[in-house]
Amino acid sequence: MTGKPDSADSFPGISEVKTVIRNALYPAPDRLGEIIGRLLENSGKMLRPRLLLACAALAGCGKKLKSNLLFESAAAVELIHTASLIHDDIIDEAASRRGRETLHLSWGPGRATHTGDLLLARAFALLSRPGSNKNLLLLLARTVAHLCRGEIYQMDQRYCWELTERQYYQINYYKTAHFMAACCEAGGWLAGASSPCRRALWHYGLKLGQAFQIVDDILDYTGCPDRLGKPVGNDLEQGRTTLPLIHLFETQKYYLKMVRMLPANTAPPRELQRILREAVKINGSLDYAIAAARKKQAEAVKALLHLPERPERQMLADIAAALTRRLSGSPDDWQPVDPGVKLS
Ligand code: FPP
Ligand code: MG
């Protein structure tokens, strides 16, 4: 991706991944070229390719890995992620993403949908190149299926104020945690890692993904739209019950009674949203969710102990540590410190 270098570029291998993405999407005619240019300029944290690259380097223990396969696979996971966000923003009717107007608002939902589909097709083309690993292809095909399942399940549970923690974690798994776990395991496959090693990578990614989604759900209550580059408050507005609200309703039935009085399939009116937002704070429901995120984060770090003690392991621990720093109200800068590791 061109444009100004961002802090993600300092992560080993990320600029090569951006080049693969650019080559996979261009040339593109007219308006589509414009759309793609915009996407390339506005890449996000590149978390998933970072996970894949760092896990491959860790599992490979300094072994020289096939860099083209590595970068193509890392590019594929980023393309899948971007496609999912484009579709998600259409579904959520979100106005901004990564600090800019969403694609469906700028170019219409039809074009945005097809752009997402195109990215997905390019991702699977990258994963099907000669010499690529079939396990990776299957793993990421399953990931896309899980993303869709998670979204459908989440839609089915809209305005379900009695959502349980178990159901919440199911949605969390399908829409986020499985993907992160798959990126980590994919790194293991690319490094030819043993099955216990791949299992540990998977476990790290799973816990990291769970923590990531909990943090995201907390920030929907507490975050600053300018800092996050996307709207906040959408979950209540869309009738989505996430961990803070589940805790509030379980501990203060009074609030549950209030939302139960709403007509079916209706978002709480603005004043009730304000009350609920305030209540999750004073009732300790946000603290409860923060503690849950920290627990998952600690479990992610613990999973790393089963992996070789190398600089990339520290890199993965830093990624986990940076997750909950986002909650501190400091700028949305959760770039882990670059330990200067070079991918072979
Ligand atoms: C963000 O969730 C969205 C996801 C984690 C997954 C979206 C998946 C789909 C739309 C299924 C289709 C998938 C593909 C690959 C085309 P969020 O709305 O909670 O987070 P946000 O606040 O960042 O929008
Ligand atoms: Mg969304």
Side-chain angles (χ1 to χ4, degrees), residues 245-254 283 285:
L245 209 56
I246 292 173
H247 180 266
L248 178 71
F249 291 157
E250 274 176 1
T251 53
Q252 302 287 337
K253 300 285 183 210
Y254 165 76
N283 185 52
S285 301

Side-chain angles (χ1 to χ4, degrees), residues 57-94:
L58 175 57
C61 284
K63 201 167 67 185
K64 183 137 180 58
L65 304 177
K66 283 190 183 152
S67 56
N68 59 330
L69 276 188
L70 219 51
F71 298 142
E72 283 164 8
S73 308
V77 297
E78 185 58 19
L79 285 169
I80 294 172
H81 174 58
T82 309
S84 78
L85 292 184
I86 294 172
H87 286 192
D88 180 69
D89 286 336
I90 300 170
I91 296 162
D92 290 353
E93 298 171 34

Side-chain angles (χ1 to χ4, degrees), residues 113-135:
T113 306
H114 295 314
T115 307
D117 293 340
L118 186 141
L119 263 50
L120 209 53
R122 295 284 194 247
F124 281 91
L126 284 173
L127 292 168
S128 312
R129 291 252 170 107
S132 58
N133 188 317
K134 198 166 169 219
N135 294 303

Side-chain angles (χ1 to χ4, degrees), residues 85 88-89 91-94 97 151 154 175 216 230 234-235 240:
L85 292 184
D88 180 69
D89 286 336
I91 296 162
D92 290 353
E93 298 171 34
R97 171 73 67 185
E151 282 293 304
Q154 182 171 267
K175 71 180 245 190
D216 215 55
K230 61 180 184 180
N234 254 9
D235 287 343
R240 279 203 297 248

Side-chain angles (χ1 to χ4, degrees), residues 261-282:
M261 284 193 289
L262 294 169
N265 301 329
T266 314
R270 283 288 144 94
E271 182 53 18
L272 182 52
Q273 287 185 30
R274 193 194 59 74
I275 292 170
L276 292 170
R277 240 182 278 290
E278 200 52 33
V280 291
K281 262 185 229 154
I282 29 185

